[in-house]
Amino acid sequence: MNTTPFSTRHVTTPTSDRPSSDVSWAPGAGERALVLGGGGSTGNAWLIGVVAGLFEAGVDVTEADLIVGTSAGSTAAAQITGATPPELLALTLSAPPQPPDGSARPTGGRAPNGPVMNHMERTAAIIAEAEDAADMRRRLGAAALELEAASDGSWPARWRAIVAPRLPSQHWPQRSVLITAVDARTGEPVVFDRHSGIDLVDAVAASCSSGLPYGVGDSRYIDGGYRRSSENADLAAGYGRVLVLSPFGGRSRAPEGWGVELAAQVDELRAGGSRVETVFPDSDSEHLFGVNAMDLSLRPAAARAGYDRGRALAERLTEFWC
């Protein structure tokens, strides 16, 4: 999720978690793909900062042939295709201060008034009980539907009203942008694009909804970070160069044996002929993420950390990207 304000085809995949069978989305044949991972409110700010830092140093990653966005990265994907990186960075840095206790924090698709730590503990217990990634998605979807059944039903409209002002444009860009989610009823991975038959705001809202499910018509969706990982870099298969920005540093909440971590996806992309670079927060800024990812008061610091990271890596990435 993010908090920066601005005044088809429904593609699902089988329950297998291997990229080779994870299509209705066909591997691409483009040259450059940008993958924007999830990471909460601070993760979104960091992503904007990295993109802006690279941009100022002459590396414009917004010109990618494909942009993949997951959760907070879906918001960033919609933002960088609708406004310039300097504009987005300025808005993020100039946002009014927020109380560090989170009392003014939107819940980002989580149960209203539910502390982030409780949400993390609840989902961690569900993940621990799951047999594999497909079972995890089904269990998380079922838990989200239980929360919905106990709610007053107002959440989707309220969440959409929060998400919409964050996007510079509420229309899908003409370039290839993929936004991930999970079908709460079936546990199946979902990929939205401009041909999916739902609007951009709904796609982003679905991708960021990690507690209560987000409804689009009769369908219900939860956070795209549960599709495969917080990055879903496998969707960039077939692209010559893949740049992955991961606020969570490539870490996964799922057991390593499931093969869903970013490192496994990078290996698969490289085995398929792609060159891959990953960008993670530096050690001095790691405290801005994880359990602090929904703290709005940390967004400016996260954006500055991302900006510095982008500037520092620009020279190395110039040959790779340009």
Side-chain angles (χ1 to χ4, degrees):
M1 75 166 273
N2 91 324
T3 59
T4 302
F6 286 85
S7 301
T8 167
R9 184 168 58 93
H10 180 169
V11 184
T12 59
T13 63
T15 54
S16 168
D17 291 287
R18 307 311 300 166
S20 59
S21 61
D22 189 6
V23 287
S24 305
W25 171 253
E31 179 55 28
R32 298 180 298 183
L34 175 65
V35 177
L36 303 173
S41 184
T42 58
N44 170 267
W46 182 84
L47 291 169
I48 294 301
V50 173
V51 171
L54 289 171
F55 183 87
E56 185 170 300
V59 183
D60 186 2
V61 297
T62 70
E63 295 182 342
D65 301 301
L66 170 71
I67 300 176
V68 178
T70 294
S71 197
S74 74
T75 312
Q79 289 171 323
I80 67 172
T81 57
T84 69
E87 289 171 335
L88 294 168
L89 179 64
L91 282 167
T92 305
L93 293 176
S94 65
Q98 299 287 342
D101 64 1
S103 60
R105 179 185 59 235
T107 56
R110 296 177 174 84
N113 303 318
V116 172
M117 184 61 72
N118 288 351
H119 171 79
M120 297 293 286
E121 291 175 350
R122 182 179 64 85
T123 53
I126 294 171
I127 293 169
E129 294 174 354
E131 297 179 358
D132 54 28
D135 186 39
M136 174 193 72
R137 292 193 300 267
R138 287 191 293 268
R139 288 173 180 266
L140 288 167
L145 292 172
E146 288 180 6
L147 288 176
E148 181 185 46
S151 74
D152 63 6
S154 66
W155 177 250
R158 291 165 50 211
W159 182 226
R160 193 182 198 282
I162 292 171
V163 170
R166 299 172 179 168
L167 309 186
S169 170
Q170 297 185 12
H171 302 289
W172 284 94
Q174 289 305 301
R175 73 184 72 184
S176 294
V177 174
L178 303 182
I179 292 178
T180 66
V182 171
D183 188 308
R185 292 198 174 104
T186 66
E188 290 185 345
V190 175
V191 178
F192 298 116
D193 64 13
R194 68 179 185 271
H195 305 296
S196 296
I198 74 168
D199 67 27
L200 180 61
V201 177
D202 282 334
V204 172
S207 187
C208 296
S209 195
S210 58
L212 285 166
Y214 182 74
V216 181
D218 293 333
S219 299
R220 297 292 181 270
Y221 301 103
I222 58 172
D223 199 307
Y226 299 129
R227 175 194 166 271
R228 185 176 183 192
S229 72
S230 293
E231 300 82 19
N232 293 302
D234 57 290
L235 291 173
Y239 283 77
R241 291 171 283 172
V242 181
L243 177 62
V244 183
L245 309 186
S246 174
F248 283 158
R251 295 185 295 273
S252 173
R253 299 177 69 199
E256 186 174 346
W258 290 1
V260 297
E261 66 275 7
L262 176 59
Q265 296 171 57
V266 170
D267 288 344
E268 292 160 1
L269 288 169
R270 288 174 174 159
S274 300
R275 295 171 60 195
V276 184
E277 289 282 353
T278 57
V279 177
F280 303 150
D282 59 32
S283 58
D284 291 337
S285 58
E286 288 181 348
H287 68 284
L288 299 170
F289 309 102
V291 296
N292 293 321
M294 304 305 292
D295 188 339
L296 300 187
S297 70
L298 297 178
R299 278 180 58 78
R304 286 190 290 270
Y307 177 83
D308 291 343
R309 191 71 168 144
R311 293 279 296 181
L313 295 175
E315 183 176 355
R316 190 189 92 193
L317 292 175
T318 296
E319 183 278 331
F320 169 76
W321 191 259
C322 302

